[in-house]
Amino acid sequence: MRPFEEGEWVLLVSPEGEKEWISQVGRSFSTAEGTFDLKQLIGKVPGSPVQSHRGSRLYAFRPTPADWILRGVKRQTQVAYPKELAYLIHRCGIGPGSKIVEAGSGSGASTIAFAFAVGSEGHIYSYEKRPEFSELAKKNVQGFGLADRVTFRVKDISEGFDEEDADLVFLDVREPWLYLQQAIRALAPGGFVAVLVPTTNQVCETLRALSPLPVVGTEVLEIFHRPYKPVADRLRPEDRMVAHTAYIIVARRVLPDEDYLWPPDSC
Amino acid sequence: MRPFEEGEWVLLVSPEGEKEWISQVGRSFSTAEGTFDLKQLIGKVPGSPVQSHRGSRLYAFRPTPADWILRGVKRQTQVAYPKELAYLIHRCGIGPGSKIVEAGSGSGASTIAFAFAVGSEGHIYSYEKRPEFSELAKKNVQGFGLADRVTFRVKDISEGFDEEDADLVFLDVREPWLYLQQAIRALAPGGFVAVLVPTTNQVCETLRALSPLPVVGTEVLEIFHRPYKPVADRLRPEDRMVAHTAYIIVARRVLPDEDYLWPPDSC
Amino acid sequence: MRPFEEGEWVLLVSPEGEKEWISQVGRSFSTAEGTFDLKQLIGKVPGSPVQSHRGSRLYAFRPTPADWILRGVKRQTQVAYPKELAYLIHRCGIGPGSKIVEAGSGSGASTIAFAFAVGSEGHIYSYEKRPEFSELAKKNVQGFGLADRVTFRVKDISEGFDEEDADLVFLDVREPWLYLQQAIRALAPGGFVAVLVPTTNQVCETLRALSPLPVVGTEVLEIFHRPYKPVADRLRPEDRMVAHTAYIIVARRVLPDEDYLWPPDSC
Amino acid sequence: MRPFEEGEWVLLVSPEGEKEWISQVGRSFSTAEGTFDLKQLIGKVPGSPVQSHRGSRLYAFRPTPADWILRGVKRQTQVAYPKELAYLIHRCGIGPGSKIVEAGSGSGASTIAFAFAVGSEGHIYSYEKRPEFSELAKKNVQGFGLADRVTFRVKDISEGFDEEDADLVFLDVREPWLYLQQAIRALAPGGFVAVLVPTTNQVCETLRALSPLPVVGTEVLEIFHRPYKPVADRLRPEDRMVAHTAYIIVARRVLPDEDYLWPPDSC
């Protein structure tokens, strides 16, 4: 396991595991428990403890993408959640070498999750029409060290995407139904289109817009995570949980045949 | 998108998406709707339709790991489910280049999911004490074309694992609490140990066994997937759903310090 | 506890509790385990065992409304479920003496639950436009011995209800949004209107129709019941569960004031 | 609908329904929106608006048991929740005339729900060993006007209950497994024993203690309520929900036969 270097991002976890922060090796970091000089970590391996001047302790880890998305990214938007991103990556067969088109870039949460999964041979094309969000996403992706796997494009996707053979087109925008034709043109045959929306009305609009398009296997899904208090003698779920983030809609592009008036502008 | 070749595995999906099968390009395949000559697919790209002699139609895709686990693997055991595997891969930061130790091999479902995610630079060490299950898992992994990323070991893990620097040790065995010390010795510092168990009693035993060990950030979690009928004008969840597969337990290895009597046999 | 009499309905439960049936004291009743002569039960108290000619055993109970709804009623429609009815009764303060208006009668499931809760001083007015369903509901209510607490009306509710001071108006019809004005006219001030619908589109239509009406405190709710296998050493949820029956919508009628154009036809 | 009288408890609901309080007719009541003179309500019917000196408005209702439990009772303990109480009342066939034994009295939440449901012909026997809690429960029950339906007993239930023919014995105590024999002796044959416990370990202990006792049909259940934002054009669940309150365990008493060594002390 490679030791920590100065300037590297680090996840700090309290001994009971109930608190977590992202900071930087070499900095000074303060909590209610005291001040931690993170120069201590230079040359140490992940999993090492750091001591505050008062003797309290934290443990230092190299952040995973999920840690970075939850604790590290600066956000100005609602971000896609790890629970949905994890499922999409697995369900759509995203892995080393995959090519993904996404819109919008938002705060870069999905961009980071995808860029990590596709490895150095894959690539993400991330579209965003608001330049300031594209910049924010870029900074968050750079912070996690994955910038060379991502091309950010500041562009209105109603004009279509520049790519044509994506394995996945991911739409995390307010009105995804307006861009499904563009999404499907950007997909390789057999590729997946995936949509995240928070309301049932948006699910209905998306399903309506999908129905004439050349896709099969449409799924609509909610994912719940229910955490437990990790206490052996009094095992019970936490009192409260996240009840809703978004509905997932996934479908696979098929080749047009006589059933589909496709591409629409050829009619 | 690379065209289908003779002998390759193929996922067949009905036009309404409600039925799916795995078959092989070049074979003859029969459903209630007729017989499909899958020689049609040679040279076609994924997403292409195939016709039966009666004119009914299916769509052909290259299977993802999730498709393969659900439809392709021959199973003699309960398999780990995509919903839990997807989360573990994301949460534990598994990606290109990761090194994973798992026990038992079972039917190879988790092996396939992990081997896909770690790419050609990663590796999986899969332990199983029953030779016939190790063989079954191997065949299922070979079927998906990932055999060169996996080392199968037929061995009782109570003696410990041969590896020392895994990013993740995954225990999907009946009594995981018996092997947690071995798991932690096999982990790189900062690495994750993850356990899947179906009963609350097993969760309690696992938490008890974890408590003296050098780990932090222990999480216990349930994941629910709630599918909807994809009908725009009558949107509603399916009538029934999977209510339970397994509890997930995850923790991160830390370096021993004065709090831990570790390694135990040095006391 | 009053002993069983000939002709009375009886709930029979298998020793392990996994099977339940409704039959009649005095009859002969057959299962895969043998034939039970239910004359044995005359004069016995609830909780008594009955033996088959082969020596297998069942336990006999006086059915609760929930038992009767799930096992006893003859049904030609989807019935309202105990989990939603139980909540509505409690949440809307239904108890001895309450007056309820409902539509449609359906198979009488909600009628039975309500008629039981309101006691001999309460009353249910149950509307249904299809005479055959009204008859079916009546028979099911009579079977449970509550017919004197219910007035069945075969009538199209678009013309309005005959009552004016109900504590609860319950709409279990396909298009409840068409009858909300009629429902509110039938309510005592401060009373509850409650709606059960299976799709999100129906929830939206109902909320749209409620918004100009004199109600406050509108709630939309889903209820899940997750059963466990009752095994002390291997406690775990059942593998599958009911994922969806209906959405509940509840609101309270307020007195019109300057904000409401009410009653609508007075404008 | 009977008009409000001075001194009567009243539920006040904000126009958007997002806030609720319990106060008393005749008092002065203040919120961030202003001060409301509740003398206005004397002689008005439920559902009437009250105005603050600043012109803001609330609506006044006669509280249901659920309103009273959630907003009106003074509590010094975790209270049983309406979602579980509603189900128990329905599932166990509690209605006008039922006789219930419960322990402990706690803050009186379950006592109120039961006393309301059983009407003036039913009765609740509520046991509590801590006199101060018994007093608190009594005050909360009196506040809702149901004191004549409840007998409070300050007594350690390990000595047994004084009743013998209850329709339901409800145990909401820390170690219910210690009192199950006593509970079953207090039940009429065919009656229900019901237990609420927050941890899985308590469920296991309860199931172990139930297994030699003369009961059948044991159920273990969790209930979830998932509220939605009531907005027609953007329908979606609330962001967060209650994830856990308690597990419900219910079983029915049967008459002893040769299988049961019962009563235990007769062996």
mmCIF file of all heavy atoms in Angstrom, chain B residues 198-201 222 226 232-241 243-244 247, chain C residues 198-201 222 226 232-241 243-244 247:
data_model
loop_
_atom_site.group_PDB
_atom_site.id
_atom_site.type_symbol
_atom_site.label_atom_id
_atom_site.label_comp_id
_atom_site.label_asym_id
_atom_site.label_seq_id
_atom_site.Cartn_x
_atom_site.Cartn_y
_atom_site.Cartn_z
ATOM 1 N N PRO B 198 -27.429 -13.755 5.856
ATOM 2 C CA PRO B 198 -28.885 -13.598 5.747
ATOM 3 C C PRO B 198 -29.628 -13.368 7.063
ATOM 4 O O PRO B 198 -30.757 -12.885 7.023
ATOM 5 C CB PRO B 198 -29.334 -14.911 5.104
ATOM 6 C CG PRO B 198 -28.259 -15.890 5.418
ATOM 7 C CD PRO B 198 -26.980 -15.119 5.534
ATOM 8 N N THR B 199 -29.069 -13.698 8.230
ATOM 9 C CA THR B 199 -29.869 -13.590 9.459
ATOM 10 C C THR B 199 -29.303 -12.536 10.413
ATOM 11 O O THR B 199 -28.110 -12.233 10.391
ATOM 12 C CB THR B 199 -29.935 -14.937 10.214
ATOM 13 O OG1 THR B 199 -28.670 -15.195 10.825
ATOM 14 C CG2 THR B 199 -30.323 -16.087 9.302
ATOM 15 N N THR B 200 -30.183 -12.023 11.273
ATOM 16 C CA THR B 200 -29.742 -11.030 12.264
ATOM 17 C C THR B 200 -28.794 -11.666 13.273
ATOM 18 O O THR B 200 -27.901 -10.993 13.785
ATOM 19 C CB THR B 200 -30.941 -10.412 13.017
ATOM 20 O OG1 THR B 200 -31.573 -11.387 13.836
ATOM 21 C CG2 THR B 200 -31.948 -9.810 12.056
ATOM 22 N N ASN B 201 -28.997 -12.948 13.574
ATOM 23 C CA ASN B 201 -28.105 -13.620 14.519
ATOM 24 C C ASN B 201 -26.677 -13.623 13.991
ATOM 25 O O ASN B 201 -25.721 -13.409 14.748
ATOM 26 C CB ASN B 201 -28.570 -15.059 14.757
ATOM 27 C CG ASN B 201 -30.063 -15.149 14.993
ATOM 28 O OD1 ASN B 201 -30.836 -14.933 14.053
ATOM 29 N ND2 ASN B 201 -30.482 -15.430 16.215
ATOM 30 N N GLU B 222 -28.979 -2.748 4.953
ATOM 31 C CA GLU B 222 -29.856 -3.510 4.060
ATOM 32 C C GLU B 222 -30.109 -2.676 2.811
ATOM 33 O O GLU B 222 -30.307 -1.468 2.909
ATOM 34 C CB GLU B 222 -31.220 -3.742 4.696
ATOM 35 C CG GLU B 222 -31.234 -4.690 5.839
ATOM 36 C CD GLU B 222 -32.678 -4.919 6.277
ATOM 37 O OE1 GLU B 222 -33.264 -3.980 6.879
ATOM 38 O OE2 GLU B 222 -33.209 -6.005 6.033
ATOM 39 N N ARG B 226 -36.952 -1.568 -5.421
ATOM 40 C CA ARG B 226 -38.398 -1.587 -5.617
ATOM 41 C C ARG B 226 -38.714 -1.234 -7.059
ATOM 42 O O ARG B 226 -38.649 -0.070 -7.443
ATOM 43 C CB ARG B 226 -39.046 -0.580 -4.676
ATOM 44 C CG ARG B 226 -40.549 -0.723 -4.602
ATOM 45 C CD ARG B 226 -41.076 0.351 -3.699
ATOM 46 N NE ARG B 226 -42.454 0.198 -3.399
ATOM 47 C CZ ARG B 226 -43.271 1.223 -3.162
ATOM 48 N NH1 ARG B 226 -42.822 2.462 -3.194
ATOM 49 N NH2 ARG B 226 -44.526 1.015 -2.882
ATOM 50 N N ALA B 232 -46.576 4.736 -18.443
ATOM 51 C CA ALA B 232 -46.649 6.183 -18.198
ATOM 52 C C ALA B 232 -47.986 6.638 -17.616
ATOM 53 O O ALA B 232 -48.041 7.533 -16.778
ATOM 54 C CB ALA B 232 -46.378 6.947 -19.499
ATOM 55 N N ASP B 233 -49.093 6.039 -18.039
ATOM 56 C CA ASP B 233 -50.401 6.530 -17.610
ATOM 57 C C ASP B 233 -50.935 5.822 -16.367
ATOM 58 O O ASP B 233 -51.981 6.205 -15.839
ATOM 59 C CB ASP B 233 -51.420 6.383 -18.745
ATOM 60 C CG ASP B 233 -51.074 7.311 -19.883
ATOM 61 O OD1 ASP B 233 -50.466 8.372 -19.627
ATOM 62 O OD2 ASP B 233 -51.392 6.970 -21.037
ATOM 63 N N ARG B 234 -50.240 4.798 -15.945
ATOM 64 C CA ARG B 234 -50.646 4.081 -14.722
ATOM 65 C C ARG B 234 -49.378 3.665 -13.973
ATOM 66 O O ARG B 234 -49.120 2.492 -13.759
ATOM 67 C CB ARG B 234 -51.480 2.839 -15.070
ATOM 68 C CG ARG B 234 -52.845 3.152 -15.696
ATOM 69 C CD ARG B 234 -53.691 1.900 -15.904
ATOM 70 N NE ARG B 234 -52.993 0.914 -16.697
ATOM 71 C CZ ARG B 234 -52.881 0.931 -18.024
ATOM 72 N NH1 ARG B 234 -53.447 1.912 -18.733
ATOM 73 N NH2 ARG B 234 -52.224 -0.007 -18.645
ATOM 74 N N LEU B 235 -48.611 4.653 -13.581
ATOM 75 C CA LEU B 235 -47.333 4.372 -12.920
ATOM 76 C C LEU B 235 -47.574 3.847 -11.505
ATOM 77 O O LEU B 235 -48.240 4.507 -10.698
ATOM 78 C CB LEU B 235 -46.472 5.642 -12.853
ATOM 79 C CG LEU B 235 -45.066 5.425 -12.261
ATOM 80 C CD1 LEU B 235 -44.205 4.560 -13.168
ATOM 81 C CD2 LEU B 235 -44.387 6.766 -11.990
ATOM 82 N N ARG B 236 -47.027 2.684 -11.218
ATOM 83 C CA ARG B 236 -47.175 2.105 -9.874
ATOM 84 C C ARG B 236 -46.099 1.049 -9.669
ATOM 85 O O ARG B 236 -45.628 0.430 -10.629
ATOM 86 C CB ARG B 236 -48.549 1.470 -9.689
ATOM 87 C CG ARG B 236 -48.948 0.499 -10.791
ATOM 88 C CD ARG B 236 -50.151 -0.318 -10.368
ATOM 89 N NE ARG B 236 -49.765 -1.181 -9.274
ATOM 90 C CZ ARG B 236 -50.576 -1.968 -8.604
ATOM 91 N NH1 ARG B 236 -51.860 -2.003 -8.910
ATOM 92 N NH2 ARG B 236 -50.137 -2.728 -7.630
ATOM 93 N N PRO B 237 -45.727 0.823 -8.423
ATOM 94 C CA PRO B 237 -44.757 -0.237 -8.151
ATOM 95 C C PRO B 237 -45.326 -1.601 -8.524
ATOM 96 O O PRO B 237 -46.551 -1.792 -8.569
ATOM 97 C CB PRO B 237 -44.551 -0.136 -6.626
ATOM 98 C CG PRO B 237 -44.944 1.264 -6.280
ATOM 99 C CD PRO B 237 -46.086 1.583 -7.217
ATOM 100 N N GLU B 238 -44.426 -2.534 -8.774
ATOM 101 C CA GLU B 238 -44.852 -3.921 -8.941
ATOM 102 C C GLU B 238 -45.563 -4.367 -7.656
ATOM 103 O O GLU B 238 -45.327 -3.828 -6.581
ATOM 104 C CB GLU B 238 -43.625 -4.828 -9.168
ATOM 105 C CG GLU B 238 -42.871 -4.543 -10.454
ATOM 106 C CD GLU B 238 -43.579 -5.107 -11.682
ATOM 107 O OE1 GLU B 238 -44.559 -5.866 -11.532
ATOM 108 O OE2 GLU B 238 -43.141 -4.770 -12.800
ATOM 109 N N ASP B 239 -46.432 -5.370 -7.772
ATOM 110 C CA ASP B 239 -47.193 -5.830 -6.613
ATOM 111 C C ASP B 239 -46.304 -6.439 -5.527
ATOM 112 O O ASP B 239 -46.574 -6.300 -4.353
ATOM 113 C CB ASP B 239 -48.211 -6.905 -7.046
ATOM 114 C CG ASP B 239 -49.253 -6.342 -7.976
ATOM 115 O OD1 ASP B 239 -49.574 -5.143 -7.856
ATOM 116 O OD2 ASP B 239 -49.752 -7.106 -8.832
ATOM 117 N N ARG B 240 -45.293 -7.157 -5.957
ATOM 118 C CA ARG B 240 -44.433 -7.829 -4.992
ATOM 119 C C ARG B 240 -42.969 -7.499 -5.274
ATOM 120 O O ARG B 240 -42.626 -7.107 -6.377
ATOM 121 C CB ARG B 240 -44.649 -9.357 -5.033
ATOM 122 C CG ARG B 240 -46.073 -9.729 -4.609
ATOM 123 C CD ARG B 240 -46.296 -11.234 -4.611
ATOM 124 N NE ARG B 240 -45.486 -11.927 -3.624
ATOM 125 C CZ ARG B 240 -45.757 -11.969 -2.320
ATOM 126 N NH1 ARG B 240 -46.825 -11.378 -1.839
ATOM 127 N NH2 ARG B 240 -44.951 -12.603 -1.497
ATOM 128 N N MET B 241 -42.133 -7.651 -4.250
ATOM 129 C CA MET B 241 -40.711 -7.379 -4.433
ATOM 130 C C MET B 241 -39.899 -8.334 -3.565
ATOM 131 O O MET B 241 -40.445 -8.975 -2.661
ATOM 132 C CB MET B 241 -40.375 -5.928 -4.058
ATOM 133 C CG MET B 241 -40.604 -5.599 -2.598
ATOM 134 S SD MET B 241 -40.363 -3.817 -2.190
ATOM 135 C CE MET B 241 -38.590 -3.802 -1.870
ATOM 136 N N ALA B 243 -37.926 -8.972 -0.548
ATOM 137 C CA ALA B 243 -37.928 -8.276 0.734
ATOM 138 C C ALA B 243 -36.609 -8.448 1.469
ATOM 139 O O ALA B 243 -36.282 -7.672 2.367
ATOM 140 C CB ALA B 243 -39.051 -8.807 1.617
ATOM 141 N N HIS B 244 -35.866 -9.482 1.083
ATOM 142 C CA HIS B 244 -34.621 -9.738 1.827
ATOM 143 C C HIS B 244 -33.712 -10.664 1.050
ATOM 144 O O HIS B 244 -34.152 -11.679 0.519
ATOM 145 C CB HIS B 244 -34.931 -10.387 3.176
ATOM 146 C CG HIS B 244 -33.713 -10.565 4.026
ATOM 147 N ND1 HIS B 244 -33.004 -9.506 4.525
ATOM 148 C CD2 HIS B 244 -33.063 -11.680 4.437
ATOM 149 C CE1 HIS B 244 -31.981 -9.957 5.231
ATOM 150 N NE2 HIS B 244 -31.994 -11.272 5.187
ATOM 151 N N TYR B 247 -27.858 -9.100 4.828
ATOM 152 C CA TYR B 247 -27.314 -7.917 5.482
ATOM 153 C C TYR B 247 -25.865 -7.755 5.035
ATOM 154 O O TYR B 247 -25.134 -8.749 4.921
ATOM 155 C CB TYR B 247 -27.363 -8.069 6.999
ATOM 156 C CG TYR B 247 -28.763 -8.235 7.534
ATOM 157 C CD1 TYR B 247 -29.298 -9.500 7.776
ATOM 158 C CD2 TYR B 247 -29.562 -7.125 7.800
ATOM 159 C CE1 TYR B 247 -30.588 -9.661 8.257
ATOM 160 C CE2 TYR B 247 -30.856 -7.285 8.283
ATOM 161 C CZ TYR B 247 -31.364 -8.548 8.507
ATOM 162 O OH TYR B 247 -32.640 -8.701 8.981
ATOM 163 N N PRO C 198 -54.321 3.082 -6.666
ATOM 164 C CA PRO C 198 -53.092 2.315 -6.894
ATOM 165 C C PRO C 198 -51.988 3.011 -7.688
ATOM 166 O O PRO C 198 -50.848 2.583 -7.617
ATOM 167 C CB PRO C 198 -53.589 1.079 -7.658
ATOM 168 C CG PRO C 198 -54.871 1.486 -8.281
ATOM 169 C CD PRO C 198 -55.471 2.534 -7.400
ATOM 170 N N THR C 199 -52.292 4.063 -8.466
ATOM 171 C CA THR C 199 -51.239 4.636 -9.322
ATOM 172 C C THR C 199 -50.885 6.067 -8.916
ATOM 173 O O THR C 199 -51.695 6.787 -8.332
ATOM 174 C CB THR C 199 -51.656 4.647 -10.814
ATOM 175 O OG1 THR C 199 -52.644 5.658 -11.013
ATOM 176 C CG2 THR C 199 -52.193 3.297 -11.260
ATOM 177 N N THR C 200 -49.661 6.469 -9.275
ATOM 178 C CA THR C 200 -49.224 7.842 -8.965
ATOM 179 C C THR C 200 -50.026 8.858 -9.772
ATOM 180 O O THR C 200 -50.262 9.972 -9.296
ATOM 181 C CB THR C 200 -47.726 8.043 -9.274
ATOM 182 O OG1 THR C 200 -47.501 7.941 -10.667
ATOM 183 C CG2 THR C 200 -46.876 7.022 -8.534
ATOM 184 N N ASN C 201 -50.444 8.476 -10.967
ATOM 185 C CA ASN C 201 -51.241 9.403 -11.783
ATOM 186 C C ASN C 201 -52.552 9.727 -11.075
ATOM 187 O O ASN C 201 -53.008 10.868 -11.086
ATOM 188 C CB ASN C 201 -51.544 8.783 -13.159
ATOM 189 C CG ASN C 201 -50.313 8.158 -13.785
ATOM 190 O OD1 ASN C 201 -49.861 7.127 -13.308
ATOM 191 N ND2 ASN C 201 -49.760 8.772 -14.807
ATOM 192 N N GLU C 222 -47.657 5.889 1.836
ATOM 193 C CA GLU C 222 -47.587 4.459 1.524
ATOM 194 C C GLU C 222 -47.298 3.699 2.809
ATOM 195 O O GLU C 222 -46.501 4.158 3.634
ATOM 196 C CB GLU C 222 -46.424 4.158 0.593
ATOM 197 C CG GLU C 222 -46.568 4.641 -0.800
ATOM 198 C CD GLU C 222 -45.401 4.147 -1.645
ATOM 199 O OE1 GLU C 222 -44.293 4.689 -1.467
ATOM 200 O OE2 GLU C 222 -45.606 3.244 -2.458
ATOM 201 N N ARG C 226 -43.527 -5.683 6.498
ATOM 202 C CA ARG C 226 -42.431 -6.588 6.173
ATOM 203 C C ARG C 226 -42.398 -7.714 7.196
ATOM 204 O O ARG C 226 -41.958 -7.524 8.329
ATOM 205 C CB ARG C 226 -41.120 -5.806 6.212
ATOM 206 C CG ARG C 226 -39.950 -6.577 5.640
ATOM 207 C CD ARG C 226 -38.714 -5.738 5.808
ATOM 208 N NE ARG C 226 -37.594 -6.295 5.125
ATOM 209 C CZ ARG C 226 -36.342 -6.118 5.532
ATOM 210 N NH1 ARG C 226 -36.088 -5.399 6.604
ATOM 211 N NH2 ARG C 226 -35.344 -6.648 4.864
ATOM 212 N N ALA C 232 -36.167 -18.123 16.162
ATOM 213 C CA ALA C 232 -35.292 -17.406 17.104
ATOM 214 C C ALA C 232 -33.817 -17.478 16.723
ATOM 215 O O ALA C 232 -33.087 -16.507 16.899
ATOM 216 C CB ALA C 232 -35.484 -17.961 18.516
ATOM 217 N N ASP C 233 -33.353 -18.594 16.206
ATOM 218 C CA ASP C 233 -31.914 -18.747 15.960
ATOM 219 C C ASP C 233 -31.503 -18.344 14.550
ATOM 220 O O ASP C 233 -30.309 -18.326 14.236
ATOM 221 C CB ASP C 233 -31.479 -20.195 16.222
ATOM 222 C CG ASP C 233 -31.597 -20.528 17.687
ATOM 223 O OD1 ASP C 233 -31.471 -19.606 18.520
ATOM 224 O OD2 ASP C 233 -31.839 -21.710 18.002
ATOM 225 N N ARG C 234 -32.471 -18.074 13.711
ATOM 226 C CA ARG C 234 -32.159 -17.633 12.341
ATOM 227 C C ARG C 234 -33.181 -16.575 11.945
ATOM 228 O O ARG C 234 -33.930 -16.738 10.997
ATOM 229 C CB ARG C 234 -32.215 -18.822 11.358
ATOM 230 C CG ARG C 234 -31.123 -19.872 11.584
ATOM 231 C CD ARG C 234 -31.140 -20.954 10.512
ATOM 232 N NE ARG C 234 -32.442 -21.594 10.395
ATOM 233 C CZ ARG C 234 -32.894 -22.541 11.215
ATOM 234 N NH1 ARG C 234 -32.146 -22.988 12.205
ATOM 235 N NH2 ARG C 234 -34.082 -23.045 11.039
ATOM 236 N N LEU C 235 -33.196 -15.486 12.692
ATOM 237 C CA LEU C 235 -34.186 -14.437 12.447
ATOM 238 C C LEU C 235 -33.857 -13.694 11.160
ATOM 239 O O LEU C 235 -32.761 -13.157 11.001
ATOM 240 C CB LEU C 235 -34.207 -13.448 13.619
ATOM 241 C CG LEU C 235 -35.285 -12.353 13.509
ATOM 242 C CD1 LEU C 235 -36.678 -12.945 13.619
ATOM 243 C CD2 LEU C 235 -35.076 -11.285 14.572
ATOM 244 N N ARG C 236 -34.804 -13.635 10.247
ATOM 245 C CA ARG C 236 -34.607 -12.917 8.990
ATOM 246 C C ARG C 236 -35.961 -12.623 8.369
ATOM 247 O O ARG C 236 -36.935 -13.337 8.587
ATOM 248 C CB ARG C 236 -33.767 -13.722 8.010
ATOM 249 C CG ARG C 236 -34.237 -15.143 7.795
ATOM 250 C CD ARG C 236 -33.571 -15.767 6.600
ATOM 251 N NE ARG C 236 -34.054 -15.085 5.411
ATOM 252 C CZ ARG C 236 -33.607 -15.301 4.183
ATOM 253 N NH1 ARG C 236 -32.657 -16.181 3.986
ATOM 254 N NH2 ARG C 236 -34.110 -14.648 3.163
ATOM 255 N N PRO C 237 -36.028 -11.562 7.581
ATOM 256 C CA PRO C 237 -37.288 -11.263 6.897
ATOM 257 C C PRO C 237 -37.645 -12.373 5.906
ATOM 258 O O PRO C 237 -36.772 -13.121 5.446
ATOM 259 C CB PRO C 237 -36.970 -9.963 6.143
ATOM 260 C CG PRO C 237 -35.824 -9.354 6.889
ATOM 261 C CD PRO C 237 -35.011 -10.522 7.355
ATOM 262 N N GLU C 238 -38.906 -12.479 5.593
ATOM 263 C CA GLU C 238 -39.326 -13.360 4.507
ATOM 264 C C GLU C 238 -38.618 -12.922 3.226
ATOM 265 O O GLU C 238 -38.246 -11.760 3.073
ATOM 266 C CB GLU C 238 -40.847 -13.260 4.300
ATOM 267 C CG GLU C 238 -41.670 -13.750 5.474
ATOM 268 C CD GLU C 238 -41.749 -15.265 5.566
ATOM 269 O OE1 GLU C 238 -41.293 -15.959 4.635
ATOM 270 O OE2 GLU C 238 -42.261 -15.755 6.586
ATOM 271 N N ASP C 239 -38.474 -13.840 2.283
ATOM 272 C CA ASP C 239 -37.769 -13.525 1.038
ATOM 273 C C ASP C 239 -38.502 -12.486 0.194
ATOM 274 O O ASP C 239 -37.879 -11.654 -0.452
ATOM 275 C CB ASP C 239 -37.630 -14.799 0.180
ATOM 276 C CG ASP C 239 -36.747 -15.827 0.846
ATOM 277 O OD1 ASP C 239 -35.824 -15.431 1.597
ATOM 278 O OD2 ASP C 239 -36.981 -17.032 0.637
ATOM 279 N N ARG C 240 -39.794 -12.565 0.188
ATOM 280 C CA ARG C 240 -40.574 -11.653 -0.652
ATOM 281 C C ARG C 240 -41.664 -10.981 0.186
ATOM 282 O O ARG C 240 -42.057 -11.490 1.225
ATOM 283 C CB ARG C 240 -41.203 -12.405 -1.837
ATOM 284 C CG ARG C 240 -40.121 -12.931 -2.792
ATOM 285 C CD ARG C 240 -40.705 -13.653 -3.999
ATOM 286 N NE ARG C 240 -41.446 -12.752 -4.862
ATOM 287 C CZ ARG C 240 -40.876 -11.915 -5.741
ATOM 288 N NH1 ARG C 240 -39.579 -11.846 -5.875
ATOM 289 N NH2 ARG C 240 -41.631 -11.129 -6.490
ATOM 290 N N MET C 241 -42.146 -9.835 -0.283
ATOM 291 C CA MET C 241 -43.199 -9.130 0.431
ATOM 292 C C MET C 241 -44.086 -8.424 -0.576
ATOM 293 O O MET C 241 -43.735 -8.265 -1.750
ATOM 294 C CB MET C 241 -42.608 -8.100 1.407
ATOM 295 C CG MET C 241 -41.845 -6.980 0.737
ATOM 296 S SD MET C 241 -41.000 -5.843 1.915
ATOM 297 C CE MET C 241 -42.350 -4.691 2.276
ATOM 298 N N ALA C 243 -45.162 -5.354 -2.251
ATOM 299 C CA ALA C 243 -44.444 -4.094 -2.465
ATOM 300 C C ALA C 243 -45.391 -2.924 -2.648
ATOM 301 O O ALA C 243 -45.002 -1.772 -2.483
ATOM 302 C CB ALA C 243 -43.554 -4.210 -3.697
ATOM 303 N N HIS C 244 -46.637 -3.233 -3.014
ATOM 304 C CA HIS C 244 -47.561 -2.138 -3.293
ATOM 305 C C HIS C 244 -48.995 -2.633 -3.301
ATOM 306 O O HIS C 244 -49.301 -3.655 -3.902
ATOM 307 C CB HIS C 244 -47.261 -1.517 -4.648
ATOM 308 C CG HIS C 244 -48.101 -0.313 -4.938
ATOM 309 N ND1 HIS C 244 -47.982 0.845 -4.221
ATOM 310 C CD2 HIS C 244 -49.082 -0.099 -5.841
ATOM 311 C CE1 HIS C 244 -48.854 1.732 -4.677
ATOM 312 N NE2 HIS C 244 -49.530 1.176 -5.652
ATOM 313 N N TYR C 247 -51.856 3.888 -2.645
ATOM 314 C CA TYR C 247 -51.509 5.132 -1.963
ATOM 315 C C TYR C 247 -52.731 5.602 -1.181
ATOM 316 O O TYR C 247 -53.866 5.501 -1.664
ATOM 317 C CB TYR C 247 -51.102 6.206 -2.972
ATOM 318 C CG TYR C 247 -49.911 5.829 -3.802
ATOM 319 C CD1 TYR C 247 -50.066 5.231 -5.052
ATOM 320 C CD2 TYR C 247 -48.623 6.065 -3.345
ATOM 321 C CE1 TYR C 247 -48.964 4.874 -5.826
ATOM 322 C CE2 TYR C 247 -47.514 5.705 -4.109
ATOM 323 C CZ TYR C 247 -47.696 5.112 -5.341
ATOM 324 O OH TYR C 247 -46.617 4.749 -6.101
#
